[in-house]
Amino acid sequence: MTRVYNFSAGPAALPEPVLRQAADEMLDWHGSGMSVMEMSHRGPEFISIHAEAEALLRKLLAVPANYKVLFMQGGAIGENAIVPMNMLRGRASADYVNTGEWSKKSIKEAQKYAKVNVAASSEDTKFTAIPPRESWKLDPQAAYVHICSNETIGGVEYHWTPDVGDVPLIADVSSDILSRPMDVARYGLIYGGAQKNIGPAGLTIVIVRDDLLGGALPITPSAFNYAEQAANDSMLNTPPTYAIYIAGLVFKWIEAQGGLDAIAEHNRTKAALLYDYLDSTAFYASPVAKDARSLMNVPFRLHDEALDAAFLKGAQALGMLQLKGHRSVGGMRASIYNAMPIEGVRALVAYMKDFEAKHG
Ligand SMILES: *Cc1c(COP(=O)(O)O)cnc(C)c1O
């Protein structure tokens, strides 16, 4: 068996020890004689798996006691609708900061339910920066302020937490959750799909301050009503049980790496290998402002795009896959989530140097 270095933006690489443990437990979880996939979500085995996953996540992120952790479905794109349905709380409008493709999707969807005020945008930089906080035109009456903490496509990440006063801050954290510690108490709600840093697609994590619950629009589907899900321990409907089990294994793996401080240090080291090299040569370029560069998704361009196909082919031959950039921005993108080992990044940089030597 050969495992490749998978630089996919998502679904993305998972830690190998997690996949091995899941394989070992596939037919018989802990002597139950069943696969986790075959268990009732209301049985004691799965309830223990669910409770442990939630407890681990709470511990890793130091989630305050007055926040609910919900394991839902629908992905982050689903949440783009579910957030306004639940979080308008009788108000008419919400503030959104536009930093790229994922922000744009959130804005477009929210406009079906709310008056959206785009409080700031970095479109003038072609979404290669975060608009400085002083430039945001926030409405004190807004139901919430929405940001995308890491633009997976553009490779733009907040390395600071915006202060938005008493209005709840909401963040799509799909592609940088658990890549570093975060102060959950600064947010009213964070949400993310699992398939970048957590586990299989299908599971969606929502962490929400409990005083914000209970004001959902009447049209909100019950399965997507945070208050109803919170009252039912995320089991109002059948949750994505197998994805929750894998997420729990990933949380345990993160804990075994030393928790989020250690993971963040590792991620900084990995990203620096790539960015330092990109900055050292004119053969490649990173389009993103230095203070907003993502540690998870590293877009870059070759100085001559006619070489793109040869670059990708050569990488593939060495077992480095999914390096093609998103069609909306072109070029290359290396996604280096928690599970990407530093050896994978080293191998990529070595290949890039080699490619430059041959074609530069
Ligand atoms: C991947 C991603 C999404 C989309 O998630 P789905 O599971 O496809 O709904 C949304 N936002 C961000 C920041 C993402 O990285």
Side-chain angles (χ1 to χ4, degrees):
M1 179 197 72
T2 326
R3 295 269 300 162
V4 298
Y5 289 127
N6 176 7
F7 292 94
S8 170
L14 286 171
E16 197 169 305
V18 165
L19 298 176
R20 287 187 187 284
Q21 184 174 345
D24 283 346
E25 296 177 345
M26 179 58 78
L27 295 182
D28 176 11
W29 182 83
H30 294 203
S32 65
M34 281 183 270
S35 168
V36 174
M37 265 182 268
E38 301 169 305
M39 288 174 183
S40 163
H41 60 297
R42 307 211 181 271
E45 295 93 347
F46 183 74
I47 286 177
S48 76
I49 290 169
H50 186 275
E52 189 179 9
E54 179 179 335
L56 283 162
L57 181 58
R58 282 185 174 276
K59 189 169 163 212
L60 286 171
L61 277 173
V63 177
N66 62 324
Y67 282 68
K68 301 288 186 193
V69 172
L70 307 177
F71 292 145
M72 297 179 55
Q73 298 175 80
I77 291 178
E79 290 302 323
N80 284 341
I82 300 166
V83 162
M85 279 188 209
N86 282 274
M87 288 291 129
L88 282 170
R89 306 173 346 275
R91 296 180 187 241
S93 75
D95 287 347
Y96 279 69
V97 177
N98 184 5
T99 48
E101 297 304 317
W102 287 115
S103 300
K104 281 198 263 178
K105 280 201 210 295
S106 298
I107 289 166
K108 199 168 162 218
E109 193 72 9
Q111 281 167 338
K112 295 179 184 169
Y113 306 95
K115 186 175 159 294
V116 169
N117 166 40
V118 179
S121 167
S122 56
E123 190 154 21
D124 58 335
T125 71
K126 295 209 176 84
F127 298 118
T128 58
I130 308 269
R133 172 65 187 85
E134 313 81 75
S135 70
W136 297 13
K137 297 203 166 45
L138 298 178
D139 171 6
Q141 298 306 317
Y144 57 85
V145 180
H146 182 282
I147 63 169
C148 175
S149 60
N150 184 62
E151 288 281 357
T152 320
I153 292 173
V156 169
E157 183 173 19
Y158 283 80
H159 296 294
W160 46 286
T161 308
D163 184 348
V164 296
D166 291 334
V167 177
L169 179 63
I170 294 185
D172 175 356
V173 296
S174 295
S175 54
D176 68 349
I177 186 171
L178 298 180
S179 68
R180 52 176 170 159
M182 70 186 288
D183 187 358
V184 174
R186 300 276 306 274
Y187 298 82
L189 182 151
I190 59 175
Y191 66 90
Q195 69 270 27
K196 279 68 186 248
N197 244 347
I198 291 180
L203 168 63
T204 315
I205 309 271
V206 175
I207 302 179
V208 56
R209 211 173 68 211
D210 57 14
D211 65 285
L212 299 174
L213 299 179
L217 297 178
I219 56 157
T220 308
S222 304
F224 297 145
N225 183 307
Y226 295 145
E228 289 188 44
Q229 284 290 8
N232 286 280
D233 286 331
S234 308
M235 301 233 202
L236 180 106
N237 55 339
T238 311
T241 52
Y242 196 75
I244 291 170
Y245 155 72
I246 298 286
L249 298 183
V250 171
F251 299 154
K252 232 180 268 178
W253 175 82
I254 293 174
E255 193 173 50
Q257 306 307 298
L260 293 187
D261 284 317
I263 285 277
E265 179 61 31
H266 194 59
N267 285 330
R268 279 191 293 270
T269 307
K270 279 163 31 188
L273 284 175
L274 258 171
Y275 286 117
D276 288 350
Y277 175 59
L278 289 170
D279 289 341
S280 75
T281 167
F283 189 84
Y284 302 98
S286 155
V288 178
K290 282 195 180 165
D291 64 357
R293 285 175 169 178
S294 170
L295 301 191
M296 297 285 99
N297 311 96
V298 182
F300 61 93
R301 288 174 185 287
L302 279 65
H303 77 100
D304 176 3
E305 67 182 57
L307 292 170
D308 284 5
F311 180 89
L312 289 166
K313 198 168 163 222
Q316 173 140 15
L318 293 170
M320 289 181 274
L321 304 190
Q322 306 278 355
L323 285 162
K324 194 170 162 49
H326 191 268
R327 60 189 181 280
S328 64
V329 291
M332 306 296 149
R333 171 178 51 173
S335 293
I336 51 173
Y337 298 115
N338 290 347
M340 171 60 65
I342 193 160
E343 293 76 18
V345 182
R346 287 208 183 98
L348 175 60
V349 172
Y351 168 67
M352 289 168 72
K353 285 182 182 165
D354 193 49
F355 190 85
E356 175 177 357
K358 286 198 184 107
H359 300 269

